[in-house]
Amino acid sequence: MSIDWKAAAKQHQAAYVDDLTKLIAIESVRDDTKKTADAPLGPGPAQALQAFLQMAERDGFKTTNLDNLAGFVEYGEGDETIAILAHVDVMPAGEGWSTEPFTLTEKDGNLYGRGTSDDKGPALACYYGLKILKEQGIKLNKKVRFILGTDEESNWTGMTHYFKTQPEPTMGFSPDAEFPLINGEKGNVSFTLTTQGSNGSQYRLNHFSAGLRENMVPRDAQAVVETDDNEALVSAFTAFLDEAPVTGDVHIDTDGVHFHVIGKAAHGMEPKNGINAGTYLASFLKTLSFGGDARAFVELLGGDLHDDSRVHKLGLAFTDKIMGDLTMNVGVMDFDAGKPGKIVLNFRYPKGMTADDIQAKLTEVAQQNQFELSKGREMVPHYVDPKDPIVTTLMGAYREMTGNDAAKPEVVGGGTYGRLMKRGVAFGALFMDHTPDTMHQVDEFQPISDLMMAMAIYGRSIEALANELPE
């Protein structure tokens, strides 16, 4: 029995949008301050997981909830298991949206809302591909597990829990990136520089903050500075805004001069797509005569770390001919006078470079500025041979549905669940040739036509992996 996948996707569009509306409405941002025994990552991720599994139960699938940390939908039979790894958590919305971030809004054929592109929209499109196979009565010769994580945007506690408690899948893909296919992902590691918050006298940095997550280019930055000549400082900042590629505002209050800079948010895997409000604000503040840790904080942020995603200033620039450039995102910046502050740097590094190489250089930086350095979670580079059947089968389904025979797999700086399997790849759902990447940004969206095409590609891909995959 042959399925007309594009027609089947179109028939399911209304139901898909209705289900996506329910998922987008759940603010599934990890929040450890609200965690409970029943919601170990906060209420939002648990609610989104439950909602997704309830949709699958409604459709007659067997589901399993693993302690509200992860869950899965299962279909098909066989000794081999093909995994589809998606996530229901989202990044914080941040400021500057033209729509309500947790209300699915359709405008000009586009669906707006936090998670429409990363990853609720693609995950649901992929699930609907599996749903169509079940509705059509297509027998699958391999077991398919559609696995849902709840904190992909932080430290993968949910998916780690799955792999600790369940058998490892044979192979699979993650619908959490872009088409045509990603068979290589750079290494991913973050480092935190910590300062104690000492200050000077002529200028005093009372507060500085920017960034919501380490893997997100900060859109907003704020600072409060005390000085004897507030008007001169306001005038200097206004002149700075006239020249810099950012906007902002400034006002004087009883506790000093308040600065606000607005840049452009972007996914941390490619900082050049954003404008880092934090480092731009620091580039202005470093012209002032701060002292102590405040001086070191703004000089580092506004100097060696500013506007240098390829890390030339620190001497870490590196490129691999297959995996591309080492990149750095200055993701989180916090300083309060007299209290420990921090700078969190996220690096995406190709093979040929190691986290130890990065740490050695940052150790020098920390010592020069009297900061402390700590290393966060690391994921090493991941690569699947483009000749592997998992790659060739998925590429075949993509070409069949799109007619794009020239498409080739690629390597990116993003990190997806696909790297958790030796034969794991990332597969859609963003069509980069005609749709901008708005993941981790304000006004995140996906065209409904793209999501319907993704549904068709995913359905055909699951069918091919389960029943046609070469040995």
Side-chain angles (χ1 to χ4, degrees):
M1 178 180 179
S2 178
I3 297 176
D4 183 339
W5 281 105
K6 294 178 185 177
K10 188 66 176 177
Q11 291 168 3
H12 286 77
Q13 179 173 317
Y16 167 86
V17 172
D18 184 58
D19 282 344
L20 185 59
T21 299
K22 297 171 186 174
L23 290 176
I24 297 298
I26 301 171
E27 190 172 346
S28 51
V29 178
R30 176 172 176 167
D31 187 351
D32 290 344
T33 67
K34 297 179 181 178
K35 67 181 180 181
T36 65
D38 293 331
L41 303 176
Q47 291 170 10
L49 175 63
Q50 293 164 6
F52 207 118
L53 294 178
Q54 286 167 5
M55 291 174 186
E57 291 168 3
R58 172 202 65 195
D59 296 332
F61 285 101
K62 175 186 175 183
T63 69
T64 300
N65 184 330
L66 300 171
D67 305 311
N68 279 332
L69 285 169
F72 61 89
V73 179
E74 195 167 84
Y75 185 63
E77 298 178 356
D79 295 331
E80 292 186 271
T81 298
I82 295 169
I84 301 166
L85 308 178
H87 67 91
V88 296
D89 62 301
V90 296
M91 293 292 286
E95 301 296 328
W97 285 71
S98 61
T99 67
E100 290 295 326
F102 297 104
T103 299
L104 188 69
T105 303
E106 184 172 356
K107 295 193 303 181
D108 301 323
N110 297 323
L111 298 178
Y112 289 83
R114 182 55 96 212
T116 51
S117 184
D118 183 19
D119 180 41
K120 292 176 180 178
L124 192 64
C126 191
Y127 165 75
Y128 262 74
L130 184 65
K131 169 183 164 79
I132 292 168
L133 283 167
K134 180 177 179 296
E135 290 174 348
Q136 295 290 332
I138 302 298
K139 183 176 185 284
L140 301 185
N141 297 323
K142 295 182 179 66
K143 185 183 297 181
V144 175
R145 274 198 175 182
F146 193 103
I147 308 167
L148 298 161
T150 51
D151 66 332
E152 192 272 347
E153 301 294 5
S154 52
N155 67 1
W156 297 16
T157 301
M159 200 58 76
T160 299
H161 183 63
Y162 175 88
F163 275 82
K164 283 182 178 179
T165 59
Q166 299 295 314
E168 185 173 345
T170 308
M171 66 186 75
F173 68 88
S174 177
D176 185 25
E178 62 196 56
F179 287 123
L181 182 142
I182 292 167
N183 67 313
E185 299 180 8
K186 296 178 186 177
N188 188 332
V189 64
S190 291
F191 291 92
T192 300
L193 293 160
T194 304
T195 177
Q196 294 307 308
S198 66
N199 243 296
S201 56
Q202 182 180 359
Y203 293 92
R204 178 178 174 83
L205 183 63
N206 285 338
H207 173 75
F208 187 107
S209 63
L212 299 172
R213 294 283 179 85
E214 61 199 52
N215 58 346
M216 187 177 184
V217 177
R219 173 188 180 270
D220 294 272
Q222 293 85 22
V224 181
V225 175
E226 277 189 82
T227 182
D228 293 334
D229 193 344
N230 290 339
E231 296 299 336
L233 191 52
V234 169
S235 178
F237 182 68
T238 301
F240 165 77
L241 290 180
D242 289 340
E243 299 295 329
V246 295
T247 59
D249 55 78
V250 57
H251 70 273
I252 300 171
D253 208 337
T254 55
D255 56 349
V257 182
H258 290 244
F259 303 96
H260 177 211
V261 168
I262 302 172
K264 179 185 177 185
H267 197 300
M269 72 176 176
E270 183 43 273
K272 288 197 299 185
N273 291 337
I275 301 174
N276 195 314
T279 67
Y280 267 97
L281 177 53
S283 74
F284 166 73
L285 294 178
K286 81 180 185 70
T287 64
L288 308 179
S289 299
F290 292 107
D293 296 325
R295 177 196 56 77
F297 181 83
V298 296
E299 287 190 355
L300 180 60
L301 280 177
D304 285 348
L305 300 183
H306 173 54
D307 198 22
D308 188 24
S309 65
R310 269 52 186 176
V311 213
H312 292 280
K313 297 175 188 176
L314 294 181
L316 281 170
F318 182 82
T319 301
D320 174 74
K321 65 180 181 179
I322 294 177
M323 303 195 86
D325 296 339
L326 167 75
T327 65
M328 174 187 68
N329 180 52
V330 189
V332 178
M333 295 148 265
D334 285 308
F335 185 99
D336 284 293
K339 299 179 181 179
K342 65 181 179 182
I343 300 170
V344 185
L345 307 174
N346 179 241
F347 293 86
R348 311 295 172 107
Y349 63 94
K351 59 185 179 67
M353 168 69 72
T354 69
D356 289 342
D357 297 328
I358 300 169
Q359 185 166 3
K361 175 56 68 175
L362 293 182
T363 297
E364 296 177 13
V365 173
Q367 291 172 346
Q368 291 167 2
N369 293 280
Q370 296 184 325
F371 292 168
E372 294 182 4
L373 179 70
S374 59
K375 177 184 175 184
R377 185 173 63 103
E378 178 190 4
M379 295 183 286
V380 300
H382 173 73
Y383 189 73
V384 178
D385 192 315
K387 296 180 181 178
D388 189 296
I390 183 72
V391 176
T392 58
T393 300
L394 292 176
M395 286 298 302
Y398 173 84
R399 291 169 179 147
E400 178 185 341
M401 290 295 106
T402 64
N404 183 1
D405 293 332
K408 296 181 180 180
E410 57 190 44
V411 175
V412 300
T416 75
Y417 286 151
R419 71 193 307 148
L420 291 171
M421 299 169 287
K422 291 180 180 179
R423 298 177 68 194
V425 299
F427 190 48
L430 186 64
F431 292 89
M432 292 287 287
D433 58 342
H434 62 266
T435 299
D437 180 0
T438 55
M439 297 181 191
H440 297 194
Q441 300 180 36
V442 299
D443 291 341
E444 178 183 346
F445 79 94
Q446 277 272 52
I448 185 63
S449 58
D450 282 7
L451 290 165
M452 292 304 98
M453 175 60 80
M455 187 188 299
I457 294 170
Y458 287 136
R460 177 68 186 108
S461 298
I462 297 168
E463 179 184 33
L465 288 175
N467 293 343
E468 303 164 24
L469 185 73
E471 295 298 330

